[in-house]
């Protein structure tokens, strides 16, 4: 199956080259986890479509602006899918707030099938990137196993567009027949979190999970016991998630990493984006 | 050098002398050898850091080494440099059953990780063939695979955090027992870094619950095509097997010569199928029944299903001892490593036989059929004039074909020194610049396992000249 339509990256390249500050945008499904947009908006939505689907190899190459809905329905025709819970059944929160493929990879949020099926870092086999100087580069391959060189694709997953703009992704896909049941408890459809107030996803280790569950009570909208992840909504008190080892929240906070890792993040950002052009305020900078 | 290092660790932790230099001059990649100045065996992260700092202050290149089973020259030292062996860093430091992980020093053998938690119904999933000796550190450096990666993933998917000494001698801690949250996946970058981004001394590894039921079968086919067609159909049926391994006539022959193992009359290929489940056992049996049917539809002569654990181990013997058995056919063997999309396997296999014939070489094939990861094993006598060149040429042709078909030049063994020349063929200059930028996050120097992975690194020509004689 070849590309849905030919789309040029020229407008994207030009915008990145000419602007000093760029906010990379998909469908806005996760924008509440990101700082307010500033500078030029790099709208990835038009750069969409499946480039190549190999059902026998269970690999798909897809443009970053493609919506998850579109991708999943195309894959379904071949009995394939990306292993994410169905948002109709569980709400879009435990489905990972589906928007575009690029946004899914860039944010890499927890989801309800994670303990059984992994996450974007396990599904991304390769990426094609637009760098802030306007050049493009590829990493990874179409093979499901590949150890040639440094795994830059893995570094890009969850990097929130700060190290490069994802143009295309090569993804491993899975047979629908083999999908396990999603075991999350609860249902949450975070339609417009700005209306509803404080929201967060928090992940705990064994000990702090049960304590936090008690403290958070009614604010827990969805829970996944396998990964000890809670999807929270409402004006819960910040100290209740103090024990979490990882938090994704609408407050613009820096990630809970050591000072050393924070310094490495800054170093990486300056290497990949020396003029601090791409999503400069991401990660609470 | 030896005296200097004997001041920072105990004297018996520094090995030198002609015999030592010969043994440590290469890993399991036999084509290039480069004797070190000496070998140091620290026992703790602190000692390892002191060794690295000593090397940095004396401008001596250093190379980490676990068991030396690597197949791409990753543990080959710079001429006259220091080998930093992890073989005395083999302790398990903490087992956290609640969070299903453990912390271990990286010199520990892969198998010992699983042994330590087997009584709790857990194991460490990555299972390279070398697992009884290959170390956690080596598995991390190469992002090792193994037969069970089809279902359980490669090493990087099981490393939650690590401690390493970076190329500037600083202690760096990445991730932790809880794995990744928002931020950059530095652990994911260091795993597979082939010991060039730092010396990893400790790691938090994820433990996987043992399946509640396993079904293992060995199907014998009169030709390898039947086996590869069966693999394609098994995958297409929507099953995710735990392992799908094929061994061809060459391997069967070696197993028969080496171990006296016998397979059904007329067998030219074996397909090892393993299915497992953490839940529904009756569904598992139904899946195995449909696999049996698929194999027979594709001409399988017989399919033997293991009735118990002992028989299961017996069926795995063909796979686990296959490469070792090759040693009985000829004095020298070289195992290549290429990957293609699974559907291209039959085509590449035909090509491998054709290339072998054309170069006058014997070849046996053992491969992770489910992943499209091929291991053509050439057997020869390296004393025969010109044969080594033909083996290298044959490998190059096969890897070239893998690239043409959208695959990779390495599925498991890594780039090391062996495949430096292939990096330009697989990646453009812009792609390699991207990788060089990633490396620079940790390493801007020239002393940490130099001249590996990325080709044409500026310092390498100087390295070869400077280190041509002695370290100092």
């Amino acid at each position: 199956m070849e590309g849905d339509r030919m789309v040029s990256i020229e407008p994207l390249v030009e915008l990145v080259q000419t602007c000093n500050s760029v906010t990379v945008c998909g469908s806005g499904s996760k924008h509440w986890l990101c700082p307010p947009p500033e500078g030029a908006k790099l709208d990835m939505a038009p750069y969409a479509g499946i480039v190549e689907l190999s059902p026998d190899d269970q690999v798909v190459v897809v443009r970053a602006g493609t919506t998850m809905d579109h991708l999943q329905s195309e894959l379904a025709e071949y009995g394939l899918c990306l292993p994410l819970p169905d948002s109709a059944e569980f709400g879009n929160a435990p489905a990972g707030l589906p928007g575009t493929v690029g946004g899914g990879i860039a944010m890499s949020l927890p989801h309800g099938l994670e303990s059984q099926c992994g996450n974007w870092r396990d599904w991304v086999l390769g990426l094609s990137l637009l760098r802030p100087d306007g050049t493009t580069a590829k990493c990874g391959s179409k093979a499901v196993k590949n150890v040639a060189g440094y795994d830059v694709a893995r570094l890009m997953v969850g990097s929130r567009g700060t190290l490069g703009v994802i143009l295309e992704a090569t993804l491993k896909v899975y047979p629908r027949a083999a999908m396990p049941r999603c075991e999350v408890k609860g249902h949450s459809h975070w339609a417009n979190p700005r209306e509803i107030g404080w929201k967060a996803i928090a992940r705990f280790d064994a000990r702090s999970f049960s304590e936090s569950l008690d403290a958070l009570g009614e604010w827990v909208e969805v829970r996944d016991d396998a990964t000890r992840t809670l999807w929270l909504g409402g004006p819960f008190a910040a100290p209740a998630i103090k024990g979490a080892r990882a938090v994704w929240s609408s407050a613009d906070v820096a990630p809970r990493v050591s000072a050393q890792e924070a310094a490495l993040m800054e170093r990486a950002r300056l290497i990949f984006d020396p003029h601090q052009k791409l999503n400069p305020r991401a990660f609470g900078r | 050098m030896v005296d200097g290092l004997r001041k920072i660790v105990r004297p018996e932790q520094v090995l030198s002398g002609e015999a030592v230099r010969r043994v440590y001059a290469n890993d399991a990649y036999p084509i290039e050898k480069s004797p070190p100045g000496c070998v140091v065996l620290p026992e703790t992260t602190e000692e390892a850091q002191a060794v690295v700092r000593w090397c940095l202050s004396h401008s001596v290149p250093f190379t980490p080494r676990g068991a030396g089973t690597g197949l791409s020259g990753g543990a080959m030292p710079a001429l006259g440099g220091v080998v930093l062996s992890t073989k005395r860093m083999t302790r398990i430091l903490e087992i956290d059953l609640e969070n299903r992980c453990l912390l271990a020093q990286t010199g520990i053998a892969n198998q010992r990780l699983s042994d330590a938690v087997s009584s709790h119904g857990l194991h460490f999933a990555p299972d390279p063939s070398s697992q009884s000796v290959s170390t956690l550190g080596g598995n991390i450096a190469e992002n090792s695979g193994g037969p069970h990666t089809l279902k359980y993933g490669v090493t990087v998917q099981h490393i939650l955090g690590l401690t390493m000494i970076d190329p500037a001698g600083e202690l760096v801690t990445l991730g932790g027992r809880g794995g990744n949250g928002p931020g950059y996946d530095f652990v994911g970058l260091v795993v597979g870094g082939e010991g060039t981004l730092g010396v990893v001394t400790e790691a938090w590894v994820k433990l996987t619950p043992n399946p509640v039921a396993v079904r293992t079968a060995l199907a014998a086919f009169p030709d390898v095509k039947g086996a590869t067609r069966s693999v394609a159909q098994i995958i297409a049926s929507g099953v995710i097997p735990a392992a799908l391994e094929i061994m061809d006539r060459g391997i069967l022959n070696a197993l028969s010569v080496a171990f006296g193992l016998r397979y059904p009359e007329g067998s030219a290929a074996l397909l090892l199928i393993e299915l497992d489940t953490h839940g529904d056992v009756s569904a598992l049996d139904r899946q195995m029944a449909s696999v049996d049917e698929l194999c027979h539809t594709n001409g399988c002569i017989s399919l033997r299903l293991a009735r118990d654990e002992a028989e299961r181990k017996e069926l795995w013997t063909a796979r686990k001892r296959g490469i070792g058995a090759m040693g009985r056919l000829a004095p020298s063997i070289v195992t290549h490593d290429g990957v293609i999309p699974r559907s291209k396997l039959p085509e590449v296999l035909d090509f491998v036989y054709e290339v072998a014939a054309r170069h006058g070489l014997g070849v046996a094939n053992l491969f992770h059929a489910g992943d499209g990861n091929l291991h053509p094993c050439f057997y020869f006598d390296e004393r025969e004039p010109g044969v080594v060149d033909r083996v290298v040429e044959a490998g190059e042709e096969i890897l070239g074909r893998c690239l043409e078909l959208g695959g990779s030049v390495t599925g498991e063994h890594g780039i090391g020194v062996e495949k430096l020349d292939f990096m330009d063929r697989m990646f453009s200059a812009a792609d390699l610049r991207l990788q060089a930028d990633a490396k620079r996050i940790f390493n801007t120097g020239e002393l940490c396992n130099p001249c590996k992975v990325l080709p044409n690194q500026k310092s390498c020509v100087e390295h070869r000249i400077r280190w041509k004689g002695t370290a100092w």
Side-chain angles (χ1 to χ4, degrees), chain B residues 2 5 26 72 133 177 191 293 355 365 389 420 447:
Chain B
V2 171
L5 287 162
N26 58 287
S72 56
V133 291
R177 84 177 73 205
V191 178
E293 207 178 302
V355 165
N365 288 282
D389 288 338
L420 275 173
L447 296 174

Side-chain angles (χ1 to χ4, degrees), chain B residues 250-262 321-335 362 364 377-381 383:
Chain B
I251 300 281
L252 264 61
N253 189 26
L255 287 167
S256 140
V257 166
F259 305 118
L261 296 176
R262 294 276 170 265
R321 301 174 87 181
I323 297 287
M326 295 298 300
R328 292 293 195 94
L329 291 187
S332 320
I333 59 168
V334 165
T335 310
C377 187
F378 288 98
Y379 52 95
F380 54 100
D381 186 339
R383 295 164 298 188

Side-chain angles (χ1 to χ4, degrees), chain A residues 131 146 150 162 245 260 267, chain B residues 171 178 184 196 408 437 440:
Chain A
R131 306 193 70 179
N146 168 32
Y150 302 110
T162 55
R245 59 174 175 80
Q260 196 178 50
R267 190 181 153 78
Chain B
L171 208 57
Y184 294 162
T196 62
S408 171
D437 282 345
R440 277 199 291 140

Side-chain angles (χ1 to χ4, degrees), chain B residues 55-75:
Chain B
C55 290
L56 292 168
S57 62
H58 293 85
S59 290
V60 176
F62 54 94
T63 294
R65 177 186 175 114
T69 55
L71 290 156
S72 56

Side-chain angles (χ1 to χ4, degrees), chain B residues 113-185:
Chain B
L113 294 169
S114 295
D115 292 345
V117 290
S118 64
S119 59
H120 299 286
L122 298 167
H123 68 287
F124 179 60
D127 62 340
S129 308
S130 54
Q131 72 181 143
S132 60
V133 291
S134 65
T135 63
L136 174 60
N139 295 165
I140 286 171
E142 303 297 335
N143 192 12
S144 299
H148 284 86
T149 61
L150 182 58
K151 182 169 178 181
Y152 292 97
V154 288
T155 298
V156 69
Q157 289 159 291
H158 301 272
I159 303 298
L160 299 165
L162 49 88
T163 296
M164 76 174 187
I165 297 138
D166 79 4
E170 295 303 314
L171 208 57
V172 173
T173 306
L174 301 169
R177 84 177 73 205
N180 273 344
Y184 294 162
D185 190 356

